[in-house]
Amino acid sequence: MSEIPSSPPLGSDGYPAAGGVARRPAGVEESARANRRWWDAAAPAYLTEHGADLGDADFLWCPEGLREADAHLLGDVAGRRVLEIGCGSAPCSRWMRTAGADVVALDLSAGMLARAAQLNRSTGIDVPLVQGEVGALPVADGAVDVVCSAFGGLPFVADAEGALREVARVLRPGGRFVASVNHPMRWPFPDSPDPEDLRVVSSYFDRMPYVETDGAGRAVYVEHHRTVGDWVRAVVGAGLLIEDLIEPEWTPGRTQNWGQWSPERGALVPGTLILVCSRP
């Protein structure tokens, strides 16, 4: 068996270069291994591109520009124990810390957590950082009041149902879970911000993961598609209650493109789905 390279080669844009793209099965271990390596390698380029928009201590829910300071989806976090999953460089956790939360930030990627540690030091806002997987949270049962995730973790896990059961396990009764994910409506369209590219090129019902591969056919990036109904069933199956499903509209005056998200496309179709849930 050939040895897996320690780091994927980078393209001219600083992101890991894909040798190929496929829609094929990708299980829990393959998805986690590929995405850990991808985000470790991509962290500098990603934060160079998006760091100013994300901020050092700010809570951006989605490319449409919805921020927690305006949306108040988490409620008052002061004095609450909060777990952020898929924290990246942890700007959301630092924002919550300034709002009085007792927060822990978790991510799969050591590269992202290294940047988070640097920002902890430069901002003087020190939040605990933990490397771990969403499907096996290193947290005791009923230990937290709030779990949140802003495009972190859930789109990349093969077993969303298992991840949501973990979220339910660590939440106390009455606790709150809010997560933003790619809107399932994005999957049938090309990955382009141009509204002229709004043509259906694949089936909305095709759940086969999107996989980028290296020259040897090994997965270097994996993203999983679920329909709106899939997300609802996964949340309910984990024992959580859905309080709201939010499809943010584009923030007036916001001009940033973010991958396939753009003001022009955002005026026509939803790009983000936010699950607002609680544990009974």
Side-chain angles (χ1 to χ4, degrees):
M1 181 181 294
S2 60
E3 188 173 323
I4 298 174
S6 59
S7 180
L10 301 180
S12 58
D13 59 359
Y15 287 93
V21 173
R23 296 291 296 271
R24 66 164 175 80
V28 172
E29 291 185 8
E30 183 180 31
S31 296
R33 180 174 62 246
N35 287 323
R36 183 186 300 111
R37 293 176 59 242
W38 195 92
W39 284 106
D40 283 351
Y46 180 84
L47 294 172
T48 296
E49 183 178 5
H50 299 298
D53 199 16
L54 291 167
D56 294 343
D58 198 1
F59 200 129
L60 178 68
W61 277 112
C62 54
E64 288 84 356
L66 183 67
R67 284 180 153 79
E68 176 61 14
D70 301 313
H72 309 292
L73 301 181
L74 301 178
D76 185 1
V77 297
R80 300 294 185 93
R81 298 178 187 173
V82 181
L83 172 66
E84 182 187 4
I85 55 178
C87 68
S89 58
C92 299
S93 285
R94 280 187 290 277
W95 182 89
M96 289 185 286
R97 183 70 188 90
T98 64
D102 177 9
V103 61
V104 172
L106 178 141
D107 201 276
L108 180 70
S109 167
M112 278 293 189
L113 291 175
R115 179 59 177 154
Q118 293 172 357
L119 288 170
N120 277 357
R121 292 189 291 270
S122 64
T123 61
I125 307 170
D126 191 21
V127 298
L129 305 171
V130 176
Q131 186 174 15
E133 297 185 19
V134 181
L137 296 174
V139 179
D141 295 359
V144 297
D145 301 300
V146 178
V147 178
C148 62
S149 182
F151 272 86
L154 290 180
F156 306 102
V157 297
D159 183 9
E161 294 81 1
L164 290 169
R165 286 194 296 271
E166 276 291 275
V167 168
R169 178 185 64 80
V170 304
L171 274 176
R172 65 163 178 80
R176 194 165 184 81
F177 169 58
V178 185
S180 58
V181 298
N182 296 327
H183 197 290
M185 275 297 297
R186 285 291 162 128
W187 279 77
F189 302 119
D191 187 5
S192 164
D194 190 340
E196 296 299 320
D197 288 332
L198 283 175
R199 62 188 189 281
V200 175
V201 296
S202 63
S203 172
Y204 173 80
F205 302 104
D206 181 3
R207 276 82 158 184
M208 199 65 72
Y210 169 85
V211 181
E212 294 181 1
T213 58
D214 63 14
R218 293 173 296 232
V220 297
Y221 177 93
V222 180
E223 194 166 335
H224 295 267
H225 167 51
R226 282 111 191 167
T227 67
V228 174
D230 292 338
W231 281 117
V232 169
R233 284 184 289 276
V235 168
V236 173
L240 298 169
L241 296 177
I242 295 179
E243 297 186 356
D244 202 355
L245 294 175
I246 298 173
E247 298 164 298
E249 297 187 41
W250 199 267
T251 299
R254 180 173 169 82
T255 60
Q256 292 93 331
N257 281 17
W258 189 312
Q260 63 177 254
W261 286 263
S262 68
E264 297 79 14
R265 194 163 177 172
L268 300 174
V269 293
T272 298
L273 180 68
I274 303 181
L275 309 166
V276 182
C277 316
S278 62
R279 181 185 169 187

